């Protein structure tokens, strides 16, 4: 009986030292993005959500119809991909989400004000 216990403990220790899953692979949305600067930290525009959007994974943000969003970059569309922008929500009623940057479909928003042109092409990481 004690040999079995030692064997189980040994197998558990080996399993903890060598995890089978190290992460989840997600397809890259695009190879390049358009930004106002080399680091994509300056706001390009302010957009208003025309529809609700529920984020499918951690790369995206949830948006609600009527919500304002600061846009920081625009992904360069590739074959068989949608057009996505990266931004963060704006407004006091969304304080718990402010500062969280993520992607959302550009087709669900309308630009309200353009602060500066997105004329820098930057590779995505």
């Amino acid at each position: 009986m004690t040999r079995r216990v030692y064997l189980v403990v040994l197998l558990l220790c080996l399993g903890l030292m060598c995890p089978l899953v190290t992460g989840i692979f997600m397809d890259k949305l695009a190879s390049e993005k358009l930004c106002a600067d080399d680091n994509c930290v300056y706001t390009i525009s302010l957009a208003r959500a025309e529809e609700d959007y529920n984020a499918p994974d951690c790369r995206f943000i949830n948006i609600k119809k009527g919500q304002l969003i600061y846009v920081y970059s625009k992904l360069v569309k590739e074959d068989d991909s949608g057009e996505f922008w990266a931004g963060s929500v704006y407004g006091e009623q969304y304080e718990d989400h402010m500062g969280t940057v993520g992607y959302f479909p550009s087709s669900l928003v309308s630009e309200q004000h353009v602060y500066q042109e997105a004329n820098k092409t930057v590779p995505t990481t």
Side-chain angles (χ1 to χ4, degrees):
M1 186 74 152
T2 51
R3 277 187 141 184
R4 285 186 185 170
V5 171
Y6 287 126
L7 183 59
V8 168
V9 170
L10 177 65
L11 290 174
L12 284 173
C13 288
L14 287 174
L16 293 174
M17 290 187 314
C18 302
L20 296 176
V21 178
T22 57
I24 298 172
F25 176 77
M26 291 186 229
D27 289 332
K28 198 171 187 178
L29 297 173
S31 298
E32 295 179 320
K33 57 188 172 181
L34 295 172
C35 302
D37 63 291
D38 292 332
N39 297 316
C40 300
V41 295
Y42 292 111
T43 305
I44 297 169
S45 62
L46 184 65
R48 181 178 303 281
E50 300 297 330
E51 295 180 37
D52 290 350
Y53 177 71
N54 292 317
D57 63 47
C58 62
R59 298 173 293 177
F60 298 86
I61 58 171
N62 294 320
I63 56 176
K64 302 286 182 205
K65 183 177 181 175
Q67 189 172 39
L68 294 173
I69 304 156
Y70 284 122
V71 179
Y72 299 106
S73 67
K74 298 177 178 183
L75 294 181
V76 176
K77 187 175 171 143
E78 295 180 356
D79 296 335
D80 299 328
S81 70
E83 189 171 341
F84 295 96
W85 294 352
S88 64
V89 297
Y90 169 80
E92 288 181 19
Q93 68 251 35
Y94 305 107
E95 272 185 34
D96 55 331
H97 298 289
M98 287 176 65
T100 302
V101 177
Y103 293 106
F104 55 91
S106 63
S107 61
L108 301 181
V109 300
S110 60
E111 279 187 305
Q112 303 295 300
H113 181 73
V114 176
Y115 295 110
Q116 51 193 324
E117 290 299 316
N119 53 13
K120 298 265 185 185
T121 302
V122 178
T124 59
T125 53

